[in-house]
Amino acid sequence: PSPGGPREAVAGRMGCVVMQGYGLTATSPVTHINPIERNKPGTVGVLLPNTEALIVDIASGEPVGPGERGELCMRGPQIMKGYLNDPGATSNMIDDDGWLHSGDIATVDDEGYFTIVDRLKELIKYKGFQVAPAELEALLLEHPQISDAAVIGRPDEEAGEIPVAYVVAKDLEVDAVMQFVAERVSHYKQVRVVNFVDEIPKSASGKILRRELVAADH
């Protein structure tokens, strides 16, 4: 999540502090929260008491350091015991050491504040590099002429997958969008295809329906 956007808009409209937190149904449901006395916008805050977290490399499963991306795993008294009558699904989510694997890509800074970057299953694999759609979407929304955006992966024979952007914009050319991104990211994160659309498909809660875009793109 970016520091601005909906959080800033709600805070300004309501005249209050808006804090982000994090959790899953399987974590009953909260594991992280921003302290009201030290709110750090753009992060989901710090761990709740008696809760542990581990960020592990996606390929090796080994812990990563501060600022490095990996899958967020959590352990604590609020973690579910498992799925009812489904030991297979339980073992896929909770390992033998009690760590719940969230499926979310995250980082943690030196102060212990966590930031959710994207979903593991939505990462785009470009020539062996991992590209987070949410990172590119947040960047695209920084352009003053872009009102909404979504990024998906498209299968590619040479690269494996390439980042494809769907953009809602006024008076903007494809080259301008691609250059805007290219000037701000590493070469492997660059958008390779841009499609202009009237709207981005979203659920009632505002989540981008990537499956619809993927279906339309193939």
Side-chain angles (χ1 to χ4, degrees), residues 102-170:
S102 68
D104 285 322
I105 305 301
T107 62
V108 61
D109 64 20
D110 292 329
E111 296 182 302
Y113 283 76
F114 289 74
T115 299
I116 305 300
V117 178
D118 216 318
R119 287 290 292 168
L120 177 59
K121 65 182 180 181
E122 292 176 348
L123 286 179
I124 298 167
K125 314 298 193 302
Y126 176 82
K127 293 186 176 180
F129 294 99
Q130 294 166 344
V131 182
E135 180 183 356
L136 292 176
E137 289 160 359
L139 176 59
L140 287 164
L141 290 174
E142 292 179 7
H143 195 292
Q145 291 168 264
I146 295 178
S147 58
D148 208 354
V151 176
I152 62 170
R154 175 189 292 177
D156 181 83
E157 187 173 341
E158 180 184 351
E161 286 183 303
I162 57 172
V164 176
Y166 284 80
V167 175
V168 179
K170 288 186 177 181

Short mmCIF file of all heavy atoms in Angstrom, two decimals, residues 102-170:
data_model
loop_
_atom_site.label_atom_id
_atom_site.label_comp_id
_atom_site.label_asym_id
_atom_site.label_seq_id
_atom_site.Cartn_x
_atom_site.Cartn_y
_atom_site.Cartn_z
N SER A 102 1.17 -17.13 5.05
CA SER A 102 0.06 -16.24 4.67
C SER A 102 -0.20 -16.19 3.18
O SER A 102 -1.31 -15.86 2.75
CB SER A 102 0.34 -14.82 5.17
OG SER A 102 1.44 -14.26 4.45
N GLY A 103 0.83 -16.45 2.36
CA GLY A 103 0.67 -16.27 0.92
C GLY A 103 0.85 -14.83 0.50
O GLY A 103 0.70 -14.50 -0.68
N ASP A 104 1.19 -13.95 1.45
CA ASP A 104 1.43 -12.54 1.15
C ASP A 104 2.93 -12.24 1.13
O ASP A 104 3.68 -12.74 1.97
CB ASP A 104 0.76 -11.64 2.19
CG ASP A 104 -0.75 -11.58 2.01
OD1 ASP A 104 -1.20 -11.56 0.85
OD2 ASP A 104 -1.48 -11.54 3.01
N ILE A 105 3.34 -11.41 0.20
CA ILE A 105 4.73 -10.97 0.12
C ILE A 105 4.85 -9.69 0.95
O ILE A 105 4.06 -8.76 0.81
CB ILE A 105 5.14 -10.69 -1.33
CG1 ILE A 105 4.88 -11.92 -2.20
CG2 ILE A 105 6.61 -10.27 -1.40
CD1 ILE A 105 5.60 -13.16 -1.75
N ALA A 106 5.87 -9.66 1.81
CA ALA A 106 6.01 -8.53 2.73
C ALA A 106 7.47 -8.17 2.94
O ALA A 106 8.38 -8.92 2.57
CB ALA A 106 5.36 -8.88 4.08
N THR A 107 7.69 -7.01 3.55
CA THR A 107 9.00 -6.59 4.02
C THR A 107 8.84 -6.08 5.45
O THR A 107 7.73 -5.74 5.89
CB THR A 107 9.60 -5.46 3.17
OG1 THR A 107 8.75 -4.30 3.25
CG2 THR A 107 9.74 -5.87 1.71
N VAL A 108 9.95 -6.02 6.18
CA VAL A 108 9.93 -5.42 7.52
C VAL A 108 11.13 -4.49 7.62
O VAL A 108 12.21 -4.80 7.12
CB VAL A 108 9.96 -6.50 8.62
CG1 VAL A 108 11.24 -7.34 8.54
CG2 VAL A 108 9.81 -5.87 10.00
N ASP A 109 10.93 -3.32 8.21
CA ASP A 109 12.04 -2.37 8.33
C ASP A 109 12.78 -2.56 9.66
O ASP A 109 12.44 -3.42 10.47
CB ASP A 109 11.56 -0.93 8.13
CG ASP A 109 10.58 -0.46 9.21
OD1 ASP A 109 10.55 -1.06 10.31
OD2 ASP A 109 9.87 0.53 8.96
N ASP A 110 13.78 -1.73 9.88
CA ASP A 110 14.61 -1.85 11.08
C ASP A 110 13.85 -1.55 12.37
O ASP A 110 14.31 -1.90 13.45
CB ASP A 110 15.83 -0.92 10.97
CG ASP A 110 16.80 -1.36 9.90
OD1 ASP A 110 16.89 -2.58 9.65
OD2 ASP A 110 17.44 -0.49 9.28
N GLU A 111 12.69 -0.90 12.25
CA GLU A 111 11.90 -0.57 13.43
C GLU A 111 10.80 -1.60 13.71
O GLU A 111 10.02 -1.44 14.64
CB GLU A 111 11.27 0.82 13.27
CG GLU A 111 12.29 1.95 13.19
CD GLU A 111 11.62 3.30 13.08
OE1 GLU A 111 10.84 3.51 12.11
OE2 GLU A 111 11.85 4.15 13.96
N GLY A 112 10.75 -2.63 12.87
CA GLY A 112 9.74 -3.67 13.08
C GLY A 112 8.39 -3.39 12.46
O GLY A 112 7.41 -4.04 12.80
N TYR A 113 8.33 -2.43 11.52
CA TYR A 113 7.08 -2.13 10.81
C TYR A 113 7.04 -2.96 9.53
O TYR A 113 7.98 -2.95 8.73
CB TYR A 113 6.98 -0.64 10.48
CG TYR A 113 6.59 0.22 11.66
CD1 TYR A 113 7.50 0.53 12.66
CD2 TYR A 113 5.30 0.73 11.76
CE1 TYR A 113 7.15 1.31 13.75
CE2 TYR A 113 4.93 1.53 12.85
CZ TYR A 113 5.85 1.82 13.83
OH TYR A 113 5.49 2.60 14.90
N PHE A 114 5.92 -3.64 9.31
CA PHE A 114 5.76 -4.52 8.16
C PHE A 114 4.98 -3.82 7.05
O PHE A 114 4.06 -3.04 7.32
CB PHE A 114 5.01 -5.79 8.57
CG PHE A 114 5.81 -6.72 9.45
CD1 PHE A 114 6.04 -6.41 10.78
CD2 PHE A 114 6.32 -7.90 8.94
CE1 PHE A 114 6.78 -7.27 11.60
CE2 PHE A 114 7.06 -8.76 9.74
CZ PHE A 114 7.29 -8.44 11.08
N THR A 115 5.34 -4.14 5.81
CA THR A 115 4.63 -3.63 4.64
C THR A 115 4.25 -4.81 3.75
O THR A 115 5.09 -5.64 3.43
CB THR A 115 5.50 -2.66 3.83
OG1 THR A 115 5.84 -1.53 4.67
CG2 THR A 115 4.75 -2.14 2.60
N ILE A 116 2.98 -4.89 3.39
CA ILE A 116 2.51 -5.94 2.48
C ILE A 116 2.72 -5.47 1.05
O ILE A 116 2.25 -4.39 0.67
CB ILE A 116 1.03 -6.27 2.72
CG1 ILE A 116 0.80 -6.65 4.19
CG2 ILE A 116 0.59 -7.41 1.79
CD1 ILE A 116 1.58 -7.85 4.67
N VAL A 117 3.41 -6.28 0.26
CA VAL A 117 3.77 -5.89 -1.10
C VAL A 117 2.80 -6.46 -2.13
O VAL A 117 2.34 -5.76 -3.03
CB VAL A 117 5.20 -6.34 -1.42
CG1 VAL A 117 5.58 -5.98 -2.86
CG2 VAL A 117 6.19 -5.71 -0.44
N ASP A 118 2.47 -7.74 -2.00
CA ASP A 118 1.58 -8.37 -2.98
C ASP A 118 1.23 -9.78 -2.51
O ASP A 118 1.70 -10.23 -1.46
CB ASP A 118 2.23 -8.42 -4.36
CG ASP A 118 1.23 -8.20 -5.49
OD1 ASP A 118 0.11 -8.77 -5.40
OD2 ASP A 118 1.53 -7.47 -6.44
N ARG A 119 0.44 -10.47 -3.32
CA ARG A 119 0.12 -11.87 -3.06
C ARG A 119 1.13 -12.75 -3.79
O ARG A 119 1.52 -12.46 -4.92
CB ARG A 119 -1.28 -12.21 -3.57
CG ARG A 119 -2.41 -11.66 -2.73
CD ARG A 119 -2.52 -12.35 -1.39
NE ARG A 119 -2.95 -13.75 -1.51
CZ ARG A 119 -2.89 -14.61 -0.51
NH1 ARG A 119 -2.39 -14.26 0.66
NH2 ARG A 119 -3.31 -15.85 -0.68
N LEU A 120 1.55 -13.81 -3.13
CA LEU A 120 2.53 -14.73 -3.70
C LEU A 120 2.06 -15.27 -5.04
O LEU A 120 2.82 -15.31 -6.02
CB LEU A 120 2.80 -15.87 -2.71
CG LEU A 120 3.74 -16.98 -3.16
CD1 LEU A 120 5.10 -16.43 -3.50
CD2 LEU A 120 3.86 -18.04 -2.07
N LYS A 121 0.80 -15.69 -5.12
CA LYS A 121 0.31 -16.32 -6.34
C LYS A 121 0.13 -15.34 -7.49
O LYS A 121 -0.06 -15.75 -8.63
CB LYS A 121 -1.02 -17.05 -6.07
CG LYS A 121 -2.16 -16.14 -5.68
CD LYS A 121 -3.42 -16.96 -5.40
CE LYS A 121 -4.59 -16.08 -5.01
NZ LYS A 121 -5.81 -16.87 -4.71
N GLU A 122 0.19 -14.02 -7.20
CA GLU A 122 0.00 -13.02 -8.24
C GLU A 122 1.32 -12.46 -8.76
O GLU A 122 1.32 -11.63 -9.67
CB GLU A 122 -0.91 -11.90 -7.73
CG GLU A 122 -2.34 -12.38 -7.51
CD GLU A 122 -3.26 -11.31 -6.93
OE1 GLU A 122 -2.74 -10.27 -6.47
OE2 GLU A 122 -4.48 -11.53 -6.92
N LEU A 123 2.45 -12.89 -8.19
CA LEU A 123 3.74 -12.41 -8.66
C LEU A 123 3.94 -12.79 -10.13
O LEU A 123 3.60 -13.90 -10.55
CB LEU A 123 4.88 -12.99 -7.83
CG LEU A 123 5.07 -12.42 -6.42
CD1 LEU A 123 6.23 -13.13 -5.74
CD2 LEU A 123 5.34 -10.92 -6.46
N ILE A 124 4.52 -11.87 -10.89
CA ILE A 124 4.84 -12.12 -12.29
C ILE A 124 6.30 -12.58 -12.36
O ILE A 124 7.18 -11.95 -11.78
CB ILE A 124 4.64 -10.83 -13.12
CG1 ILE A 124 3.17 -10.38 -13.06
CG2 ILE A 124 5.06 -11.05 -14.57
CD1 ILE A 124 2.93 -8.98 -13.58
N LYS A 125 6.55 -13.68 -13.05
CA LYS A 125 7.91 -14.22 -13.18
C LYS A 125 8.48 -13.81 -14.54
O LYS A 125 8.17 -14.41 -15.56
CB LYS A 125 7.89 -15.75 -13.06
CG LYS A 125 7.06 -16.31 -11.91
CD LYS A 125 7.56 -15.87 -10.55
CE LYS A 125 6.91 -16.67 -9.43
NZ LYS A 125 5.45 -16.62 -9.40
N TYR A 126 9.32 -12.78 -14.53
CA TYR A 126 9.91 -12.27 -15.76
C TYR A 126 11.39 -12.64 -15.82
O TYR A 126 12.20 -12.13 -15.05
CB TYR A 126 9.74 -10.74 -15.85
CG TYR A 126 10.41 -10.12 -17.06
CD1 TYR A 126 9.79 -10.13 -18.29
CD2 TYR A 126 11.68 -9.53 -16.95
CE1 TYR A 126 10.40 -9.57 -19.41
CE2 TYR A 126 12.30 -8.98 -18.06
CZ TYR A 126 11.65 -9.00 -19.28
OH TYR A 126 12.27 -8.45 -20.39
N LYS A 127 11.75 -13.57 -16.69
CA LYS A 127 13.14 -14.00 -16.87
C LYS A 127 13.81 -14.35 -15.54
O LYS A 127 14.96 -14.02 -15.30
CB LYS A 127 13.94 -12.94 -17.60
CG LYS A 127 13.51 -12.72 -19.05
CD LYS A 127 14.42 -11.75 -19.77
CE LYS A 127 14.01 -11.62 -21.24
NZ LYS A 127 14.89 -10.67 -21.98
N GLY A 128 13.05 -15.01 -14.66
CA GLY A 128 13.60 -15.42 -13.37
C GLY A 128 13.45 -14.38 -12.28
O GLY A 128 13.65 -14.68 -11.10
N PHE A 129 13.09 -13.15 -12.65
CA PHE A 129 12.86 -12.09 -11.67
C PHE A 129 11.39 -12.10 -11.25
O PHE A 129 10.51 -12.45 -12.02
CB PHE A 129 13.21 -10.72 -12.25
CG PHE A 129 14.67 -10.53 -12.55
CD1 PHE A 129 15.15 -10.68 -13.84
CD2 PHE A 129 15.56 -10.18 -11.55
CE1 PHE A 129 16.49 -10.50 -14.13
CE2 PHE A 129 16.91 -9.99 -11.82
CZ PHE A 129 17.38 -10.16 -13.11
N GLN A 130 11.14 -11.68 -10.02
CA GLN A 130 9.78 -11.62 -9.51
C GLN A 130 9.30 -10.17 -9.50
O GLN A 130 9.94 -9.29 -8.92
CB GLN A 130 9.73 -12.21 -8.10
CG GLN A 130 10.04 -13.69 -8.09
CD GLN A 130 10.33 -14.23 -6.72
OE1 GLN A 130 10.58 -13.47 -5.80
NE2 GLN A 130 10.29 -15.54 -6.57
N VAL A 131 8.17 -9.95 -10.15
CA VAL A 131 7.60 -8.61 -10.27
C VAL A 131 6.26 -8.57 -9.55
O VAL A 131 5.38 -9.39 -9.82
CB VAL A 131 7.41 -8.22 -11.76
CG1 VAL A 131 6.86 -6.81 -11.87
CG2 VAL A 131 8.73 -8.35 -12.52
N ALA A 132 6.11 -7.62 -8.62
CA ALA A 132 4.87 -7.49 -7.86
C ALA A 132 3.90 -6.56 -8.58
O ALA A 132 4.20 -5.37 -8.74
CB ALA A 132 5.16 -6.96 -6.47
N PRO A 133 2.74 -7.06 -9.02
CA PRO A 133 1.76 -6.20 -9.70
C PRO A 133 1.37 -4.98 -8.89
O PRO A 133 1.22 -3.88 -9.43
CB PRO A 133 0.57 -7.13 -9.92
CG PRO A 133 1.17 -8.49 -9.98
CD PRO A 133 2.29 -8.47 -9.00
N ALA A 134 1.17 -5.15 -7.57
CA ALA A 134 0.71 -4.03 -6.74
C ALA A 134 1.71 -2.88 -6.72
O ALA A 134 1.33 -1.71 -6.64
CB ALA A 134 0.45 -4.51 -5.31
N GLU A 135 3.00 -3.20 -6.81
CA GLU A 135 4.03 -2.16 -6.84
C GLU A 135 3.90 -1.32 -8.11
O GLU A 135 3.96 -0.08 -8.07
CB GLU A 135 5.42 -2.79 -6.76
CG GLU A 135 6.55 -1.77 -6.80
CD GLU A 135 7.93 -2.40 -6.81
OE1 GLU A 135 8.01 -3.64 -6.71
OE2 GLU A 135 8.92 -1.66 -6.92
N LEU A 136 3.70 -1.98 -9.23
CA LEU A 136 3.54 -1.26 -10.49
C LEU A 136 2.23 -0.48 -10.53
O LEU A 136 2.17 0.63 -11.06
CB LEU A 136 3.63 -2.23 -11.67
CG LEU A 136 5.00 -2.86 -11.92
CD1 LEU A 136 4.92 -3.87 -13.06
CD2 LEU A 136 6.03 -1.79 -12.24
N GLU A 137 1.19 -1.06 -9.95
CA GLU A 137 -0.10 -0.36 -9.92
C GLU A 137 -0.01 0.93 -9.10
O GLU A 137 -0.53 1.97 -9.50
CB GLU A 137 -1.17 -1.29 -9.34
CG GLU A 137 -1.54 -2.42 -10.28
CD GLU A 137 -2.20 -3.61 -9.60
OE1 GLU A 137 -2.37 -3.58 -8.37
OE2 GLU A 137 -2.55 -4.57 -10.31
N ALA A 138 0.67 0.85 -7.95
CA ALA A 138 0.83 2.05 -7.11
C ALA A 138 1.64 3.11 -7.85
O ALA A 138 1.34 4.31 -7.76
CB ALA A 138 1.53 1.67 -5.80
N LEU A 139 2.64 2.68 -8.60
CA LEU A 139 3.46 3.62 -9.38
C LEU A 139 2.64 4.27 -10.48
O LEU A 139 2.69 5.49 -10.68
CB LEU A 139 4.66 2.88 -9.97
CG LEU A 139 5.57 3.69 -10.89
CD1 LEU A 139 6.15 4.89 -10.16
CD2 LEU A 139 6.69 2.81 -11.44
N LEU A 140 1.87 3.48 -11.20
CA LEU A 140 1.04 4.02 -12.28
C LEU A 140 0.05 5.06 -11.76
O LEU A 140 -0.21 6.08 -12.42
CB LEU A 140 0.28 2.89 -12.98
CG LEU A 140 1.13 1.99 -13.89
CD1 LEU A 140 0.38 0.71 -14.22
CD2 LEU A 140 1.51 2.74 -15.17
N LEU A 141 -0.49 4.82 -10.57
CA LEU A 141 -1.46 5.76 -10.00
C LEU A 141 -0.84 7.08 -9.58
O LEU A 141 -1.55 8.05 -9.29
CB LEU A 141 -2.17 5.11 -8.80
CG LEU A 141 -3.14 3.97 -9.16
CD1 LEU A 141 -3.67 3.30 -7.91
CD2 LEU A 141 -4.28 4.51 -10.01
N GLU A 142 0.49 7.14 -9.54
CA GLU A 142 1.16 8.40 -9.25
C GLU A 142 1.13 9.35 -10.44
O GLU A 142 1.35 10.55 -10.29
CB GLU A 142 2.62 8.15 -8.82
CG GLU A 142 2.75 7.44 -7.48
CD GLU A 142 4.20 7.19 -7.11
OE1 GLU A 142 5.09 7.68 -7.85
OE2 GLU A 142 4.45 6.51 -6.10
N HIS A 143 0.86 8.82 -11.63
CA HIS A 143 0.78 9.67 -12.82
C HIS A 143 -0.50 10.50 -12.75
O HIS A 143 -1.59 9.95 -12.53
CB HIS A 143 0.77 8.80 -14.08
CG HIS A 143 1.04 9.57 -15.34
ND1 HIS A 143 0.15 10.50 -15.85
CD2 HIS A 143 2.11 9.57 -16.18
CE1 HIS A 143 0.64 11.01 -16.96
NE2 HIS A 143 1.83 10.46 -17.18
N PRO A 144 -0.41 11.80 -12.92
CA PRO A 144 -1.59 12.67 -12.76
C PRO A 144 -2.73 12.40 -13.74
O PRO A 144 -3.87 12.76 -13.47
CB PRO A 144 -1.01 14.08 -12.95
CG PRO A 144 0.27 13.88 -13.71
CD PRO A 144 0.80 12.56 -13.24
N GLN A 145 -2.43 11.77 -14.87
CA GLN A 145 -3.48 11.51 -15.87
C GLN A 145 -4.05 10.09 -15.78
O GLN A 145 -4.94 9.74 -16.54
CB GLN A 145 -2.91 11.75 -17.27
CG GLN A 145 -2.63 13.22 -17.57
CD GLN A 145 -1.81 13.38 -18.84
OE1 GLN A 145 -0.59 13.50 -18.81
NE2 GLN A 145 -2.49 13.37 -19.97
N ILE A 146 -3.54 9.30 -14.84
CA ILE A 146 -4.05 7.93 -14.67
C ILE A 146 -4.93 7.87 -13.43
O ILE A 146 -4.49 8.17 -12.33
CB ILE A 146 -2.88 6.93 -14.54
CG1 ILE A 146 -2.09 6.89 -15.85
CG2 ILE A 146 -3.39 5.54 -14.19
CD1 ILE A 146 -0.87 5.98 -15.82
N SER A 147 -6.19 7.49 -13.61
CA SER A 147 -7.13 7.43 -12.49
C SER A 147 -7.25 6.03 -11.90
O SER A 147 -7.69 5.88 -10.75
CB SER A 147 -8.51 7.93 -12.94
OG SER A 147 -9.00 7.15 -14.02
N ASP A 148 -6.89 5.01 -12.66
CA ASP A 148 -6.94 3.65 -12.13
C ASP A 148 -6.05 2.76 -12.98
O ASP A 148 -5.78 3.05 -14.15
CB ASP A 148 -8.37 3.11 -12.14
CG ASP A 148 -8.62 2.07 -11.05
OD1 ASP A 148 -7.64 1.70 -10.37
OD2 ASP A 148 -9.77 1.66 -10.89
N ALA A 149 -5.57 1.65 -12.38
CA ALA A 149 -4.67 0.78 -13.10
C ALA A 149 -4.65 -0.61 -12.49
O ALA A 149 -4.92 -0.78 -11.30
CB ALA A 149 -3.25 1.35 -13.10
N ALA A 150 -4.34 -1.59 -13.31
CA ALA A 150 -4.15 -2.97 -12.85
C ALA A 150 -3.06 -3.59 -13.71
O ALA A 150 -2.90 -3.26 -14.88
CB ALA A 150 -5.45 -3.76 -12.98
N VAL A 151 -2.30 -4.50 -13.11
CA VAL A 151 -1.20 -5.16 -13.82
C VAL A 151 -1.33 -6.67 -13.66
O VAL A 151 -1.57 -7.16 -12.55
CB VAL A 151 0.17 -4.68 -13.28
CG1 VAL A 151 1.31 -5.45 -13.95
CG2 VAL A 151 0.35 -3.19 -13.50
N ILE A 152 -1.18 -7.38 -14.74
CA ILE A 152 -1.21 -8.85 -14.73
C ILE A 152 -0.01 -9.39 -15.50
O ILE A 152 0.70 -8.64 -16.18
CB ILE A 152 -2.51 -9.41 -15.36
CG1 ILE A 152 -2.59 -9.00 -16.83
CG2 ILE A 152 -3.73 -8.94 -14.58
CD1 ILE A 152 -3.70 -9.70 -17.61
N GLY A 153 0.22 -10.69 -15.38
CA GLY A 153 1.26 -11.34 -16.15
C GLY A 153 0.68 -12.01 -17.38
O GLY A 153 -0.38 -12.62 -17.32
N ARG A 154 1.37 -11.88 -18.50
CA ARG A 154 0.96 -12.56 -19.73
C ARG A 154 2.04 -13.58 -20.11
O ARG A 154 3.23 -13.23 -20.13
CB ARG A 154 0.79 -11.56 -20.87
CG ARG A 154 0.48 -12.22 -22.23
CD ARG A 154 0.54 -11.24 -23.37
NE ARG A 154 -0.56 -10.27 -23.28
CZ ARG A 154 -0.70 -9.25 -24.16
NH1 ARG A 154 0.19 -9.09 -25.13
NH2 ARG A 154 -1.71 -8.41 -24.02
N PRO A 155 1.67 -14.83 -20.37
CA PRO A 155 2.66 -15.83 -20.76
C PRO A 155 3.48 -15.36 -21.96
O PRO A 155 2.93 -14.78 -22.92
CB PRO A 155 1.81 -17.06 -21.11
CG PRO A 155 0.55 -16.87 -20.32
CD PRO A 155 0.31 -15.39 -20.31
N ASP A 156 4.79 -15.61 -21.90
CA ASP A 156 5.68 -15.20 -22.99
C ASP A 156 6.72 -16.29 -23.19
O ASP A 156 7.34 -16.76 -22.23
CB ASP A 156 6.36 -13.87 -22.63
CG ASP A 156 7.26 -13.36 -23.72
OD1 ASP A 156 6.76 -12.73 -24.67
OD2 ASP A 156 8.48 -13.61 -23.63
N GLU A 157 6.93 -16.69 -24.44
CA GLU A 157 7.83 -17.80 -24.74
C GLU A 157 9.26 -17.52 -24.30
O GLU A 157 9.95 -18.40 -23.79
CB GLU A 157 7.79 -18.09 -26.24
CG GLU A 157 8.57 -19.34 -26.63
CD GLU A 157 8.37 -19.70 -28.10
OE1 GLU A 157 7.39 -19.22 -28.70
OE2 GLU A 157 9.20 -20.45 -28.62
N GLU A 158 9.71 -16.29 -24.48
CA GLU A 158 11.10 -15.95 -24.15
C GLU A 158 11.29 -15.62 -22.67
O GLU A 158 12.23 -16.10 -22.01
CB GLU A 158 11.57 -14.75 -24.98
CG GLU A 158 13.00 -14.34 -24.69
CD GLU A 158 13.40 -13.10 -25.45
OE1 GLU A 158 12.64 -12.65 -26.34
OE2 GLU A 158 14.48 -12.55 -25.15
N ALA A 159 10.38 -14.81 -22.12
CA ALA A 159 10.56 -14.29 -20.75
C ALA A 159 9.86 -15.12 -19.68
O ALA A 159 10.13 -14.94 -18.50
CB ALA A 159 10.07 -12.84 -20.69
N GLY A 160 8.96 -15.98 -20.08
CA GLY A 160 8.14 -16.70 -19.09
C GLY A 160 6.82 -15.99 -18.88
O GLY A 160 5.76 -16.51 -19.18
N GLU A 161 6.91 -14.75 -18.40
CA GLU A 161 5.76 -13.87 -18.28
C GLU A 161 6.24 -12.43 -18.48
O GLU A 161 7.39 -12.11 -18.18
CB GLU A 161 5.11 -13.97 -16.89
CG GLU A 161 4.30 -15.22 -16.63
CD GLU A 161 3.65 -15.18 -15.26
OE1 GLU A 161 4.38 -15.02 -14.25
OE2 GLU A 161 2.42 -15.31 -15.17
N ILE A 162 5.35 -11.59 -18.96
CA ILE A 162 5.66 -10.16 -19.07
C ILE A 162 4.58 -9.35 -18.36
O ILE A 162 3.41 -9.75 -18.32
CB ILE A 162 5.76 -9.70 -20.54
CG1 ILE A 162 4.44 -9.99 -21.30
CG2 ILE A 162 6.95 -10.33 -21.23
CD1 ILE A 162 4.39 -9.40 -22.70
N PRO A 163 4.95 -8.21 -17.74
CA PRO A 163 3.96 -7.36 -17.09
C PRO A 163 3.10 -6.61 -18.11
O PRO A 163 3.63 -5.94 -19.01
CB PRO A 163 4.81 -6.37 -16.28
CG PRO A 163 6.16 -7.01 -16.18
CD PRO A 163 6.32 -7.77 -17.46
N VAL A 164 1.80 -6.74 -17.98
CA VAL A 164 0.85 -6.06 -18.86
C VAL A 164 -0.02 -5.14 -18.00
O VAL A 164 -0.60 -5.58 -17.01
CB VAL A 164 -0.05 -7.08 -19.60
CG1 VAL A 164 -1.11 -6.37 -20.43
CG2 VAL A 164 0.80 -7.99 -20.48
N ALA A 165 -0.09 -3.88 -18.40
CA ALA A 165 -0.85 -2.90 -17.62
C ALA A 165 -2.17 -2.56 -18.29
O ALA A 165 -2.23 -2.35 -19.51
CB ALA A 165 -0.04 -1.62 -17.43
N TYR A 166 -3.23 -2.53 -17.48
CA TYR A 166 -4.53 -2.01 -17.91
C TYR A 166 -4.72 -0.68 -17.20
O TYR A 166 -4.61 -0.61 -15.98
CB TYR A 166 -5.65 -2.99 -17.54
CG TYR A 166 -5.71 -4.18 -18.47
CD1 TYR A 166 -4.84 -5.25 -18.31
CD2 TYR A 166 -6.62 -4.22 -19.52
CE1 TYR A 166 -4.88 -6.34 -19.17
CE2 TYR A 166 -6.68 -5.31 -20.38
CZ TYR A 166 -5.80 -6.36 -20.20
OH TYR A 166 -5.85 -7.42 -21.06
N VAL A 167 -4.98 0.36 -17.99
CA VAL A 167 -4.93 1.72 -17.46
C VAL A 167 -6.18 2.50 -17.83
O VAL A 167 -6.65 2.45 -18.98
CB VAL A 167 -3.68 2.46 -17.99
CG1 VAL A 167 -3.68 3.92 -17.56
CG2 VAL A 167 -2.41 1.76 -17.53
N VAL A 168 -6.72 3.23 -16.86
CA VAL A 168 -7.80 4.19 -17.11
C VAL A 168 -7.15 5.57 -17.08
O VAL A 168 -6.61 5.99 -16.05
CB VAL A 168 -8.90 4.10 -16.03
CG1 VAL A 168 -10.00 5.13 -16.30
CG2 VAL A 168 -9.48 2.69 -15.97
N ALA A 169 -7.15 6.24 -18.23
CA ALA A 169 -6.43 7.51 -18.32
C ALA A 169 -7.07 8.43 -19.34
O ALA A 169 -7.85 8.01 -20.20
CB ALA A 169 -4.97 7.26 -18.70
N LYS A 170 -6.71 9.71 -19.23
CA LYS A 170 -7.18 10.73 -20.17
C LYS A 170 -6.00 11.30 -20.94
O LYS A 170 -4.98 11.67 -20.36
CB LYS A 170 -7.91 11.85 -19.43
CG LYS A 170 -9.27 11.47 -18.88
CD LYS A 170 -9.96 12.69 -18.28
CE LYS A 170 -11.36 12.34 -17.79
NZ LYS A 170 -12.05 13.53 -17.21
#
